Amino acid sequence: AQSVTQLGSHVSVSEGALVLLRCNYSSSVPPYLFWYVQYPNQGLQLLLKYTTGATLVKGINGFEAEFKKSETSFHLTKPSAHMSDAAEYFCVMANQGGKLIFGQGTELSVKP
Amino acid sequence: ETGVTQSPTHLIKTRGQQVTLRCSSQSGHNTVSWYQQALGQGPQFIFQYYREEENGRGNFPPRFSGLQFPNYSSELNVNALELDDSALYLCASSPAYGQGTYNEQFFGPGTRLTVL
C-alpha cells in the first residue's frame, strides 16, 4: 500500500535559519511526489512537484526538495526562513489514478 | 481565469441531518476530486469524478455521495451526519484524467462543516 510519513508534526526555526521538513514515502511503483502549503483559512497551494527526471526539484518561494529513491525520501528545504513561511506543509504522493495521498502535515513556525 | 470555488464557506448542522457542498471547477478542467481534512490531519481522499462518472473512491461509507454536472461542477452530499464528519471539505479540479499520467490538482478554499 502507498503511504506518506512526515517526521515531526511541528517544526520551529528562527528567521534566516535553514528550513528542513522531512518526508518518507512507501510505494511499489515510481511515485509522483509533491509538497503543498496551506496557510490559515486558505486552500492548498502547490510548492513543487517531482514526476520524472531531475531529482532536485525547485519550487516557489525559494523551496526545493530532493527525491532520493534509495532512502525513499523527499525532504523539503529552504536556505533561509522568512516569517511569511509560517504555515502547514504537506508531503503528498499521487497514485496511478491521480488520487492524492497526504502525509499528516508539519506545522512550521518562524521565530523573529 | 477563475480558480476553483466552493460554497458555502462555513456550515453548521446537527447530527442526523443531510448536507450538500458545492464546487465549481477551474475553466477547462473535467476532473474533480473531494477530500476531507479533519482538524490537525492531512486531507483524506473521498472520491473523484471524471466526465460525470465516479472514478475511484476512498475509504468512506456510502452516505458520502457525489455528482458531477455537464459543466463539470460537482456536489458532495453527506447523509445522516455524525459528529466525526466535522471537517474542512476540499474540492480540487484538474485538466484531465489519464492512466499513468498526472495532471496537477488545483484546490478550492474549502467548506468548513461543523456537526453539533
Side-chain angles (χ1 to χ4, degrees):
Chain A
Q2 293 178 302
S3 66
V4 176
T5 301
Q6 291 182 240
L7 303 175
S9 59
H10 192 168
V11 170
S12 182
V13 300
S14 297
E15 193 172 18
L18 171 72
V19 175
L20 171 61
L21 305 183
R22 299 177 188 274
C23 172
N24 287 91
Y25 68 91
S26 174
S27 177
S28 58
V29 298
Y32 295 157
L33 295 166
F34 315 85
W35 278 95
Y36 279 84
V37 61
Q38 187 176 37
Y39 297 100
N41 301 315
Q42 294 189 30
L44 292 155
Q45 181 182 10
L46 181 66
L47 275 180
L48 49 80
K49 63 182 177 183
Y50 169 78
T51 53
T52 58
T55 56
L56 182 62
V57 181
K58 295 186 184 299
I60 62 171
N61 301 336
F63 285 94
E64 63 181 37
E66 186 170 11
F67 172 68
K68 291 187 176 180
K69 184 178 178 180
S70 61
E71 299 177 8
T72 61
S73 70
F74 190 58
H75 302 330
L76 181 71
T77 61
K78 181 174 180 177
S80 176
H82 191 272
M83 296 296 292
S84 61
D85 294 328
E88 187 89 17
Y89 291 80
F90 292 96
C91 183
V92 184
M93 179 165 58
N95 67 13
Q96 289 292 308
K99 288 75 170 175
L100 300 183
I101 301 165
F102 285 76
Q104 307 93 311
T106 298
E107 183 181 356
L108 175 66
S109 300
V110 182
K111 299 175 291 186
Chain B
E1 184 179 273
T2 305
V4 179
T5 61
Q6 293 185 244
S7 62
T9 307
H10 295 87
L11 202 52
I12 300 175
K13 292 286 189 177
T14 56
R15 268 188 312 174
Q17 285 189 312
Q18 178 267 341
V19 70
T20 297
L21 310 182
R22 294 177 175 83
C23 171
S24 291
S25 59
Q26 190 164 315
S27 177
H29 291 186
N30 59 15
T31 302
V32 172
S33 303
W34 286 92
Y35 297 83
Q36 180 197 65
Q37 185 178 14
L39 196 62
Q41 304 204 10
Q44 299 288 317
F45 173 72
I46 303 175
F47 43 55
Q48 183 182 83
Y49 278 84
Y50 169 64
R51 292 184 175 179
E52 304 178 58
E53 296 287 331
E54 186 178 291
N55 176 47
R57 187 181 185 91
N59 189 27
F60 281 82
R63 60 189 184 85
F64 285 77
S65 63
L67 282 173
Q68 187 178 32
F69 300 99
N71 66 354
Y72 304 129
S73 64
S74 178
E75 286 183 353
L76 164 64
N77 300 290
V78 188
N79 294 322
L81 283 167
E82 301 176 0
L83 297 179
D84 285 349
D85 295 333
S86 295
L88 179 68
Y89 288 84
L90 295 164
C91 166
S93 73
S94 56
Y97 163 75
Q99 187 66 29
T101 65
Y102 177 77
N103 291 297
E104 181 181 340
Q105 296 187 24
F106 295 81
F107 284 83
T111 293
R112 173 75 61 188
L113 173 64
T114 301
V115 182
L116 302 175

